[in-house]
Amino acid sequence: MWTGLQLSSTAEVNPLHLRRVGFIAGLIAASAIAWGIDIVLSVSLRQAAIYSGFLLLTLVLGLTLFNSRKKLPFLPLARASTWLQIHIYAGFFCAFIFLLHVRFSPPHGPLETLLALVFCVVILSGFFGIFISRFFPSRMALSGEPLIYERIPAYRREIQENVEALIRRAETETQSSTLADFYLSQLRPFFHRLPSALEALGGMDRRSGRLLKELTALNRYLNDAEKAIAAEMRDWIQTTQNLHYQYAAQRLLKLWLFVHIPFTYSLILIALVHAALALIYAGKV
Amino acid sequence: MRRLLDHLSFKKNRYARPTQEWICGHTYEGRPCPLGPDARGGCRHSGECFPARSGDRWLCTRREADGGKCTEGPLPSGACSHPIPPCQPKPALRRTRGKMTWLVVALTLSILLLTLAGMSRRTWISPGELSVHHATSAKECEDCHTPEKSKPSSFTHLAVIKKRADEDSHLCLKCHSLGQQPFSPHGAAAPALAAFTKHAATEKSQPPLLLRAGTAAASVSRMKSGELACSTCHQEHHGKDFNIAHLSETQCQVCHRVQFASLAKGHPEFANYPYLRRTRIYFDHATHIQDHFPAAKDKQPTSCQACHVPAVSGGKMIVNSFEQACAVCHTDNISSSTPVAFFRIPGIDVVSLARAGISIGQWPKEADDKLTPFMELLLGTDISGGKVLAVLKGKELGDLRSADPEQLAAASRLAWAVKEFLYDFEVEGQPFLIKRLQEGLPPGQSGSQLTALTGGIPRAGFIAARKEWMPDLMREVSDYRRGVLPPVPPVPKAPPKPAPTPSPAEKPKPPPSDADILGGAESSKESSPPPKPGAPPPTDDILGGGGAEPAKTAAPPPKPGAPPPTDDILGGGAAEPAKAAAPPPPNPAPPPPTRGSRRKDKNRGPAPEAAPKSGEPAKPTPEATDETTWMATGWFRAKDGFTLSYRPSGHGDPFLAAWFNAAGVVRSSGSGIMQTLAAPSGPGSCAKCHTVDQVPNAGMRVNWTASRPEANAHPFTKFSHTTHLSLMTEKGCQTCHVLNPSSKFATFFQPTDATDPTTVNHDPTHFESNFAPLPKMQCGSCHTPRIAGDSCLRCHNYHTGTFATDMSQVARIHPIAAAQEKK
Amino acid sequence: MAEEPVRISKPKRWDIPFGKDMTEADVEMLMQQAPFNTIDASKFPASAPLWGILLNDAQIRRFENGDIIVREGDYGNSAFFIINGAVQVILDSLPPRMLGRRESQKKNFFQSLAQLWQRPPHPEVRDYVQRKAAGTATAEVNARTSGATATADVEVRTSGRKTNEVSIFLQDVPRILSENHTARLEEGEMFGEIAALGRSPRTATVIADGRTQLLEIRWQGLREIRRYAPEWKARLDQLYRERSLDKHLRATEFLNKLAPEAFKQVFDNTRFETYGDFEWQSTYHSGGDDAPQGRLAKEPLIFREGDYPDGIVLIRSGFARVSRKYNHGERTLRYLGRGQFIGLEEIASSWKSDEVVPLQNTLRAIGYVDLLVIPTAIVQEHILPQFSAAEIQHLQIQPSEEPALDLEQEITRKLGPDMLEFLVDNRTINGTATMLIDLDRCTRCDDCVRACASTHNNNPRFIRHGREMNAIMVTNACMHCVDPVCMIGCPTGAIHRESFQGQVVINDDTCIGCATCANSCPYDNIQMVDTRDRSGFFILDEVARTPIMKATKCDLCIDQLGGPACARACPHDALIRIDMRDVDRLATFINR
């Protein structure tokens, strides 16, 4: 190219889509193969459950490695994104093998039931995790400026201080208490109280919408100076709404791991006991 | 967009540090202190700056990031005027998460500990309820799992190495007895399996893909020596309603050499099912249905059910009893059948013996016939087993002129054996016979059997006969046993027709006219040189002294008083009918009667070749009336003949049946008896209908009944008639059992050589059925997956053989039974 | 408050001199001889006297015949003055193998793994006992030309005087000289100043021609001299132009294939032009957030849409914005970086035709830009004739087309107009390893930050925030600029280019925490931190009583095995480090 700008006119295929298709294909293939093998094994009067059990245990342990990789970012292990992809699809595979292992019916023994429950907790929390990890980011991006979770307390304080300064200014500069009254009656709780996750995430934060309307309604009582301040206040309300959303969403995105990770270890422990018992009583391959 | 909160300027920013474990408490008020908490989460509150001294004043050193120099400036002391109040540092989110993880782990561990170490451990580790069948009988793990000591070492051993299934399988046998080799496939013995496999190897098989794969993956032998652990097919702990016996046809076939998709596709044709052996009763359906029944219009059965009815179990069809099914036509040809010669004084060439200087005492000259096979058994092992018969083999006892000394000795021994038999039987009675039978027959004969064998034999009849044949027998035998032999009779030059020696047989001859009740006495008075010592008192005569007298005088019998007086009376009684049968005996014309009797004897004799000749059964009866001496029921002796014969009373005659059974199991000497009885036209002509099977190394077995459902039999193929009766068409049973007229059915029951009855086929597997074998599709038409199901287990048992589920052991395990036991 | 904070004196410039064994005597010797004796030392400020500069910012180095003094492509921050002997400048590129390139010092596996437990619990912990040792060590390292690996073509030898000084020399020098274009530099001349002043990689490899003694002056020193000694300024600029011109023209494809005499013509007639402020970041900072129009107005105009094209414009260094009128505003179509040019099409179109095709676009300098202008006449006379008719045809702008489907369209289409504007306005285009985060995928899990912290002794080296456009966030992390203005004004040279891959890194040991770089960085990507001792207390300056500060920034995990940990640690493919010149990759990332 004349300008040395290297441009290729190849039509872009979204690499992520390609990857997803590939993985899903792989997942289906693997599941099919596993199912086939399971059938063949049971036909051959072997204890298919022992094989699927071993596979399941290996998978679970393998999936746990993802966590350890996160703790070793300095080693030239594969990219975390690759790990996650494998983690996700291996997880789905795991779920399928689990169904094979329990013969698509709830287990009978108490220990087995406990194990199955813990397994479901882990797997389902995992599915939930994938869902929210794909669902919230884009919405957070739309909601407003991205905020760092750890800084949110500081931001809230900043907002509160700014808003109060603003109100004080309104009082001093305009000698009218319209905005101040409105602030005390309506805005203050809004700025000072964090909404519940449901409030914040469940569609739009109704409070802020209402407040904005009421603020507009106030315009008739305001002079230009106050209008300017009101406009600024408007910004703060929207900012706060965004802050509430960011806070709730990020909190959720962090909290789901509080279920997923602890119960994984619990799962491994019970699984090991279960495996040992199975080997002792049900015999070998 | 307008940024309201986030400032990019490095002056207003610090790195966010998500790796820090503790966060300054002031962060939540929006003002984290610059220093921050220590490693253990303690607050290290300080001032906002560390004032610097320049000369004598302190300067604030707070930086822009923290708001720049403060207006107040440091305190005179040099301390910061904005001390940061102490805070309670908060753990970072991830630290909390870590704590939570440990909490959950601890919780899990404690749960596991409580469950696995606690009292209710067993219920916890049980992977599920047992199926209903086992739920009650197996209470503890150890009932089905071989108990193990819980050492850590053995734990790993169990978990990693040991194959538990083998031992556990033996525990199953506590309740389930599955025959000799419970774990070998189908409970079959190794050789049998080998044979099947060898046979199957010749078959070609077209397994479906899945089955191929399964076979490839299969490890056929999961226990040593190719045996299968129960758990191979029976998986427990899958809940009450789980069918632990179910196996799919692919699973069944995985071990098989010949594999196929379904009954319709690939299942081998039925070879000759259900006709697996010769019928036990020789009943030719073809001839009966085609010839006999039409012939006897009034008697013919209306339908198959007239003879065949389903067994209670519903499985087999059973044949009605003789009385119901056959008697209507076949009763008379039993009673009219030839009698069996049981005992006989064999004819011995006394002269030749005498010439050789051997004395056998009294011996009826007229006797000139062979031993009966029964006697060979009864004369005792030294005769039957010993060399005697062997030596005399093929030698005509009646003519010993060319006999060598050894044979002569044997002959005399035989003679004495006969005498001793008569003596001992007369003295000891039935116990003696039983003793002899026990010697002769293989051990393990039940008392009832022996009784059945001997019960019918009339002692009195024997005594009476003996008195006629050898009056001096008692003395001779006792002398003989003392070593005193009777004098050798003088030998005439010419072959002696009338023996000069006074023989007891002639004694009654001279006074036949007055030979009445006192006849005996008369003779005793008149006979001048009677070798008998001392004339018996008349009283004795009345009592048929001849018999009783020696009992008193002769050498004391082994058991004093063994012959009780009742016997004598009986003996007398036994004589009465003889008199009644022939009130005034006609003038002596011995030759014809004797000859006649002799001829009759021949006819009755066991000589088989005689059987076919005496075709019409009506013949003997008139003779019997005038010339035979009836003893007990069925027993008779031709007048002054030397044979005691028995004629069966009717169908199912116990005496004959007993001997028939005995003959089956008896050793070498028995073969004679069997030949006698097993001839289709033999006595009672039992063998005409009842086939005799040669049972490998168990002798011969007579099939007294048609096949019956045997208890505890687990055949490979199972079939229930009752459930199928509804499927019959107007052809009735012939819907499935199609008559096959061209079959050589009969030939497998009749002797191959008409002249020699011993050539009768005794091999039940060597046969041809009356009916055409069942074509596979006869079943296959209904037994498809959709209609009647075609899984292997529908028609086949896995566990084959004959065994009863031994529930005696269950008592120990079964809670209810156990409870009762305690009481 | 268990223990007293460690107190040491705040490090100052020249704490660690450039050459550790530069002696007063050497300085005196230099001061005696030309050209230093001609310099008016009185013009120098007391803070930076000439002799001080020579003492601390310069060092005398000796080379044997064939020694490699500088290698093409290295990012050097020093210029060389030939005291005696001569050097050969090899104008053509030598194969890297011949130059004995080395990988930068990476941690080995176990060192990497050790970071798992060697991490201190507190942020920004420094161990000053170790630092002293480390300081000298780094000084030594600076003193070397380079460490080297012996290959077929190069050998390592340690000259007798300084055992720690390692130098590479080429075998069979005559062959190399005969095979390549070379230029010989004699005693009294100097070289390496382009790289030193332009913050650009070395343009040529220089080897010693016989025994040679050189004075190496690091660019801070050179800057001072240039500033306070006018004759040096003239001379430097002169050299600077000539050498870079030749090199640059040869680097340009369509000029490179010219016949020698044509090239000569071009060479002689090319004009030099410089737009904007060498230290542009200050102005940029002041107007950080104002409206686009204002920003455009601030950018110096190079030529305007509709003007007569008076020549082909080549960019030597810096960036230029290509824009076109769009209704009441101007739409940015693309940006030109080093080595790119504009105006050929217009000239080609008006060539051999009566009507003149005016310039289609407006060109503005983004910050500071160095240009070469090849006059139209020369182009038409010597360059265009070399093209085939087809090429001319391809170049010519058809007036009918409206607007012409050309590269501008291409790149705008790829990135989207607003994204392009955004990148140019914020001068993100400067970055060679810009951290972009796709906010549509980022779950804010902070794994990137954590990874960064665990690869940097428990200290993150970037902040996960920044300006965003269409949910693409330009994260607050060092971009390792093509034109690293942060390096301007570092008094100690603690901030420098990694010799091979050109990452901009700060040598923590020589950093004095003056915050110059942090201030210079137009993107606020350098953070000043308070250092602490192992117990987590601040290390205070005895006098100022303020914590000792250090400038910190992303070093692209230069010493880590796997490269940038942040990008590898992102589980959601939301984060990349990208060279903004790679438009395709950028487009794929933005548009996926």
Side-chain angles (χ1 to χ4, degrees), chain B residues 538-694:
Chain B
T539 50
D540 290 347
D541 290 352
I542 295 156
L543 302 171
E549 198 268 346
K552 294 204 213 77
T553 57
K559 293 192 238 70
T566 51
D567 272 359
D568 291 36
I569 290 154
L570 256 187
E576 298 305 327
K579 263 221 259 81
N587 268 5
T594 41
R595 211 182 307 114
S597 71
R598 204 169 292 149
R599 200 183 87 256
K600 280 189 223 107
D601 284 354
K602 275 200 168 62
N603 297 355
R604 317 279 186 276
E609 73 278 356
K613 291 185 200 116
S614 63
E616 69 291 3
K619 197 173 172 229
T621 25
E623 294 180 347
T625 46
D626 60 359
E627 291 191 349
T628 50
T629 317
W630 288 93
M631 292 172 267
T633 42
W635 290 88
F636 66 93
R637 171 166 61 99
K639 195 168 189 334
D640 43 24
F642 299 94
T643 305
L644 291 170
S645 302
Y646 177 79
R647 169 174 294 128
S649 55
H651 188 260
D653 179 85
F655 179 75
L656 216 49
W659 276 98
F660 220 142
N661 291 338
V665 296
V666 83
R667 287 194 228 83
S668 61
S669 61
S671 59
I673 308 175
M674 183 47 86
Q675 284 174 16
T676 318
L677 300 176
S681 59
S685 61
C686 313
K688 187 160 185 290
C689 304
H690 293 283
T691 60
V692 178
D693 293 347
Q694 180 70 52

Side-chain angles (χ1 to χ4, degrees), chain C residues 190-204:
Chain C
M190 79 190 304
F191 60 91
E193 73 291 329
I194 302 166
L197 296 175
R199 306 183 300 271
S200 58
R202 300 288 185 191
T203 53

Side-chain angles (χ1 to χ4, degrees), chain B residues 177-202:
Chain B
S177 65
L178 295 171
Q180 297 309 314
Q181 42 280 324
F183 303 127
S184 95
H186 290 287
L193 279 174
F196 293 148
T197 321
K198 200 153 165 299
H199 170 68
T202 63

Side-chain angles (χ1 to χ4, degrees), chain A residues 16 19 133-134 137, chain C residues 438-443 572-574 592:
Chain A
L16 300 178
R19 189 179 65 185
S133 304
R134 297 279 176 269
Chain C
D438 179 351
L439 292 178
D440 282 343
R441 296 184 66 81
C442 171
T443 64
H572 303 284
D573 287 294
R592 67 185 185 181

Side-chain angles (χ1 to χ4, degrees), chain C residues 289-529:
Chain C
D289 286 337
D290 60 357
Q293 286 81 358
R295 192 182 285 120
L296 271 184
K298 281 217 191 68
E299 290 178 353
L301 183 73
I302 297 167
F303 60 68
R304 187 180 295 283
E305 181 178 354
D307 290 356
Y308 167 78
D310 66 345
I312 298 175
V313 176
L314 289 94
I315 311 290
R316 258 192 70 256
S317 71
F319 292 92
R321 178 203 297 259
V322 180
S323 59
R324 183 179 288 171
K325 273 201 167 32
Y326 182 70
N327 299 334
H328 298 302
E330 276 185 44
R331 171 192 275 163
T332 305
L333 300 176
R334 63 181 159 127
Y335 51 92
L336 299 182
R338 175 189 189 77
Q340 300 178 332
F341 59 87
I342 187 168
L344 180 59
E345 289 84 354
E346 287 85 348
I347 296 172
S349 310
S350 41
W351 186 44
K352 292 181 181 170
S353 70
D354 39 13
E355 48 87 45
V356 173
V357 178
L359 288 163
Q360 302 293 307
N361 310 313
T362 306
L363 190 68
R364 284 195 174 80
I366 305 175
Y368 169 84
V369 61
D370 237 354
L371 299 178
L372 302 173
V373 180
I374 306 171
T376 311
I378 301 297
V379 176
Q380 292 178 334
E381 188 179 334
H382 299 285
I383 300 177
L384 291 179
Q386 307 270 346
F387 287 175
S388 69
E391 286 170 327
I392 298 291
Q393 186 63 27
H394 176 269
L395 283 172
Q396 284 177 341
I397 300 163
Q398 270 58 16
S400 63
E401 289 182 28
E402 172 50 42
L405 176 89
D406 53 13
L407 288 169
E408 289 85 340
Q409 298 303 316
E410 181 74 359
I411 181 171
T412 325
R413 184 175 60 74
K414 281 191 170 186
L415 302 184
D418 45 3
M419 177 59 72
L420 182 61
E421 299 276 8
F422 170 76
L423 294 179
V424 174
D425 286 352
N426 294 299
R427 308 196 180 174
T428 314
I429 51 176
N430 201 350
T432 65
T434 314
M435 182 192 289
L436 298 182
I437 292 182
D438 179 351
L439 292 178
D440 282 343
R441 296 184 66 81
C442 171
T443 64
R444 282 67 161 169
C445 65
D446 261 341
D447 277 358
C448 46
V449 185
R450 218 171 295 114
C452 186
S454 44
T455 44
H456 296 87
N457 218 24
N458 198 20
N459 303 309
R461 286 299 176 234
F462 74 97
I463 307 180
R464 207 196 73 247
H465 69 175
R467 297 196 171 79
E468 77 267 18
M469 163 65 69
N470 301 349
I472 298 291
M473 177 198 269
V474 180
T475 314
N476 195 188
C478 176
M479 311 192 301
H480 300 271
C481 298
V482 175
D483 178 23
V485 284
C486 53
M487 278 165 59
I488 305 168
C490 175
T492 62
I495 185 164
H496 63 282
R497 286 239 195 228
E498 224 295 313
S499 72
F500 175 41
Q501 285 157 312
Q503 297 96 330
V504 180
V505 293
I506 298 173
N507 180 350
D508 196 72
D509 302 318
T510 53
C511 174
I512 59 173
C514 66
T516 316
C517 50
N519 285 309
S520 329
C521 177
Y523 315 100
D524 286 300
N525 288 348
I526 300 180
Q527 292 288 324
M528 303 308 295
V529 298

